[in-house]
Amino acid sequence: MHSSGLARRVAVVSGAAHGIGAAIAEALVRDGAKVWVCDVLEEPLEETVRRCRDAGGDAGSVAVGRVVDVSRPDAVRALIAEITAQDGGTDILVHSAGGVLGQVAQPVEEVTEDDWRAIVAVNLEAAFLLVREVVPGMKARGWGRIVTISSGAGRSYSQTGIQAYASAKAGLIGFTRQIARELGQFGITANSVAPGFVLSNPSSQRQWEALGAAGQQAFFNALAIKRLGRPEEIAHAALFFASEEAGYVTGQTLSVDGGRWMLG
Ligand SMILES: NC(=O)c1ccc[n+]([C@@H]2O[C@H](COP(=O)([O-])OP(=O)(O)OC[C@H]3O[C@@H](n4cnc5c(N)ncnc54)[C@H](O)[C@@H]3O)[C@@H](O)[C@H]2O)c1
């Protein structure tokens, strides 16, 4: 069944080629939004666009895909300018691009500047670049929803041991809270969803398998809800923050992690 809660809203979702970003894009389309999806990966992004088109019901709720590196200021500026030219502006920004970029844990004294900066660039700095471009239009219309996808790693520590990732996600939560404070007076909210471990793509599948039976059991022992999360479950939380109904909720981080955060 299609809802029309976000009818005529224009959304942009970064990092939408894979699980979580793709599920968020689909949820927004189902709710009636027009969704622009972007990623550095062209083919899986096209798959997301197809999925969204299959999911969308209303004429207005369609998806458009663009290959964009959201850590590049010029590319972000061009994307948001294109959306503004075609659709009048961006009402909803979901920054889901991120992850560990294929990196593995290393002792901190062996981490190179390039590895550190690459993770901070996409997980944290890109959020700033995107927000900077969408905010003028949101202010002009007096309505906006900014949703960042952080991580349990930003609230406690990275289970994969990647220092830059935990730091960037903690920074992303701080940035989200700070802009919430600044932008609330303009009708713009900013909130973060902090997922737990979700099998969202081949690399998270490999990470999960590498844990082995004992590691997987230890993982479940630390959860209140004894199973892994699904991308759609992260998308539900993002959709709430993007909704009209969440207009009095800002600066929050919601863990969707099966109760790991709660147990410490
Ligand atoms: N999967 C999990 O268990 C999990 C847990 C906590 C947080 N997260 C976060 O959720 C978000 C989505 O993660 P996911 O697991 O669905 O996929 P993912 O980890 O593969 O990354 C998300 C997407 O970002 C894209 N991306 C990377 N660099 C980019 C750039 N410079 N410009 C544009 N796109 C870029 C990737 O191509 C990918 O499609 C990420 O921010 C991730 O850190 C994931």
Side-chain angles (χ1 to χ4, degrees):
M1 202 183 78
H2 299 289
S3 146
S4 55
L6 291 176
R8 290 181 300 281
R9 295 294 183 196
V10 177
V12 60
V13 181
S14 70
H18 277 147
I20 291 175
I24 292 170
E26 196 181 317
L28 290 167
V29 164
R30 276 187 202 284
D31 213 45
K34 173 166 181 185
V35 182
W36 292 70
V37 290
C38 66
D39 204 289
V40 284
L41 303 174
E42 190 169 3
E43 271 188 27
L45 185 67
E46 282 170 12
E47 180 54 36
T48 300
V49 171
R50 275 194 293 276
R51 252 176 76 178
C52 286
R53 290 191 176 153
D54 290 346
D58 311 332
S61 58
V62 294
V64 179
R66 289 288 179 266
V67 176
V68 175
D69 177 348
V70 289
S71 66
R72 286 186 42 211
D74 52 343
V76 170
R77 193 167 300 128
L79 172 69
I80 302 305
E82 186 187 0
I83 297 172
T84 304
Q86 272 202 35
D87 289 331
T90 306
D91 301 304
I92 298 162
L93 165 67
V94 182
H95 177 52
S96 184
V100 300
L101 307 179
Q103 294 186 29
V104 293
Q106 301 181 78
V108 68
E109 65 272 27
E110 289 170 23
V111 175
T112 67
E113 293 95 321
D114 283 352
D115 282 350
W116 173 275
R117 287 182 187 140
I119 285 185
V120 172
V122 61
N123 285 281
L124 175 57
E125 196 173 322
F128 155 66
L129 298 175
L130 284 158
V131 165
R132 188 172 64 173
E133 296 305 320
V134 299
V135 155
M138 289 179 176
K139 279 186 176 176
R141 288 187 302 285
W143 198 95
R145 298 281 186 267
I146 295 166
V147 183
T148 61
I149 307 303
S150 53
S151 172
R155 306 197 92 174
S156 58
Y157 65 93
S158 157
Q159 291 184 70
T160 45
I162 298 173
Q163 303 88 351
Y165 184 69
S167 308
K169 292 300 197 186
L172 183 60
I173 290 169
F175 176 64
T176 307
R177 207 167 38 223
Q178 192 63 41
I179 55 166
R181 183 85 198 154
E182 178 180 334
L183 299 174
Q185 63 191 305
F186 303 105
I188 303 167
T189 67
N191 294 284
S192 194
V193 181
F197 195 60
V198 174
L199 292 183
S200 51
N201 54 35
S203 108
S204 58
Q205 186 76 45
R206 275 194 300 276
Q207 279 176 358
W208 177 246
E209 280 156 16
L211 281 180
Q216 292 175 0
Q217 192 52 53
F219 181 84
F220 287 134
N221 288 344
L223 298 183
I225 299 168
K226 310 278 179 204
R227 63 169 176 80
L228 292 175
R230 293 186 284 269
E232 295 72 21
E233 292 174 310
I234 310 303
H236 288 312
L239 189 65
F240 169 67
F241 283 141
S243 70
E244 189 64 49
E245 290 77 5
Y248 201 54
V249 180
T250 198
Q252 301 301 306
T253 297
L254 177 60
S255 289
V256 182
D257 66 351
R260 185 182 175 89
W261 164 248
M262 194 170 69
L263 300 178

